[in-house]
Amino acid sequence: MQALATGYGLIEGPVWDPATGLYFSDVPNGGVYLLDRADKVSLAVPKRRGIGGMALHAAGGLVVGGRDIAHVGLGNGGESRTLLAKDVTPVAIGFNDLTTDQAGRIYVGSLAFRVFGGDEPRPGHLHVIDLDGTARTISDGIMLTNGLGFSPDGKRLYHSDARGGLVRVYDVNDDGSVGPWRRFVALGENGVADGLKVASDGSVWVADAHGGRVAVFNADGSHRADVSVPLPMVTSLCFGGDDMRDLYVVTGSRGGPHENCGTVFRSRVDVPGLPLAPARVALG
């Protein structure tokens, strides 16, 4: 596993753009960065903190999480438009990870407590932003919402609950709503399910935030393998490269040698990942 970029506080939200490379965020220090196809890093979106998830938008720019869900243009002059505000529920204080379905809807989890602020944990919700820009709340009871990803046929949605100790799975209806959740997998007594992605064979790849690994599960929930990561706080991952077999893994600094050792790693894997469709929600 090759280290490509380091020196960040807590990296999140990796998203692959075939045209330009890998975008990622630094949650505590702020900013979205681009690791281009020559493995050079540049600043893509300045300052914004707390971004736990990102997606490309079909009109250009990025959809980002944080205090709200926003569309941001790239570069210093990029315009920002709010797509979903925290008044979506009475308890939401912000948003964490997100994903898109093949139609371009955005699925995102809201937070109901300050994760690093010492608040008493309270459950948040799962929301979908439809193509016309309206939003629906489609599930609840998520103690700490994290990674989201769809099965290859789009009929199942996987959803990490880091404080619940498991990955949920929902059946997805034709209108984009979901049925009642059920347990897909648990990561074990000390496992913390963080970001996740789904591969083309239906396997589910889950970052273990305390375990120094990416845990790989078959579509039936059986454990296939672990991908070892050199730092313990594994926060998220995504697939990239021309054949989608480059596995990018990002980390935070907890348990590492210093407080800004968050790193982007890359490794080759045997199965290609699923490309993430760009968001197509209305921009106003």
Side-chain angles (χ1 to χ4, degrees):
M1 186 165 283
Q2 179 185 8
L4 303 174
T6 193
Y8 303 92
L10 193 161
I11 302 175
E12 276 284 10
V15 59
W16 176 254
D17 182 347
T20 55
L22 183 80
Y23 291 100
F24 63 92
S25 68
D26 188 336
V27 173
N29 298 322
V32 174
Y33 297 86
L34 171 65
L35 178 73
D36 68 20
R37 296 187 65 121
D39 294 339
K40 303 298 183 183
V41 177
S42 60
L43 181 66
V45 178
K47 298 182 179 179
R48 182 175 171 119
R49 297 183 181 183
I51 297 174
M54 296 193 291
L56 305 177
H57 196 284
L62 294 167
V63 176
V64 299
R67 62 185 178 274
D68 58 10
I69 300 299
H71 173 263
V72 296
L74 298 174
N76 290 328
E79 182 182 357
S80 177
R81 300 178 179 90
T82 296
L83 304 178
L84 184 63
K86 59 188 178 182
D87 62 3
V88 65
T89 71
V91 298
I93 64 167
F95 303 89
N96 197 21
D97 212 343
L98 58 86
T99 194
T100 56
D101 66 6
Q102 285 300 312
R105 302 180 184 100
I106 300 168
Y107 288 75
V108 59
S110 58
L111 299 166
F113 69 101
R114 294 177 301 159
V115 178
F116 300 113
D119 292 356
E120 181 179 349
R122 292 197 299 175
H125 297 78
L126 176 64
H127 317 277
V128 59
I129 308 174
D130 287 303
L131 301 187
D132 63 0
T134 60
R136 294 174 281 161
T137 299
I138 56 175
S139 192
D140 60 12
I142 305 110
M143 292 308 301
L144 178 49
T145 182
N146 256 294
L148 292 151
F150 283 91
S151 61
D153 61 8
K155 294 182 178 180
R156 297 205 289 178
L157 174 64
Y158 302 98
H159 186 185
S160 292
D161 185 344
R163 289 284 175 91
L166 53 82
V167 178
R168 295 179 168 196
V169 62
Y170 314 84
D171 293 324
V172 182
N173 302 315
D174 290 342
D175 67 352
S177 63
V178 297
W181 71 272
R182 58 192 183 274
R183 191 183 93 155
F184 174 60
V185 294
L187 266 64
E189 183 178 354
N190 298 313
V192 176
D194 208 316
L196 68 77
K197 293 293 186 292
V198 181
S200 60
D201 65 352
S203 57
V204 182
W205 299 53
V206 185
D208 185 347
H210 289 177
R213 64 171 179 155
V214 174
V216 185
F217 298 93
N218 296 310
D220 64 2
S222 59
H223 181 242
R224 176 187 297 183
D226 289 328
V227 179
S228 180
V229 181
L231 286 172
M233 189 180 186
V234 183
T235 55
S236 196
L237 66 141
C238 78
F239 295 92
D242 292 335
D243 60 1
M244 294 298 286
R245 287 179 50 213
D246 287 339
L247 177 68
Y248 290 90
V249 181
V250 299
T251 77
S253 300
R254 184 180 300 160
H258 55 82
E259 66 180 11
N260 283 295
C261 65
T263 301
V264 180
F265 295 99
R266 183 175 60 212
S267 181
R268 291 288 286 171
V269 293
D270 292 336
V271 58
L274 287 177
L276 187 65
R280 296 184 181 275
V281 302
L283 296 178

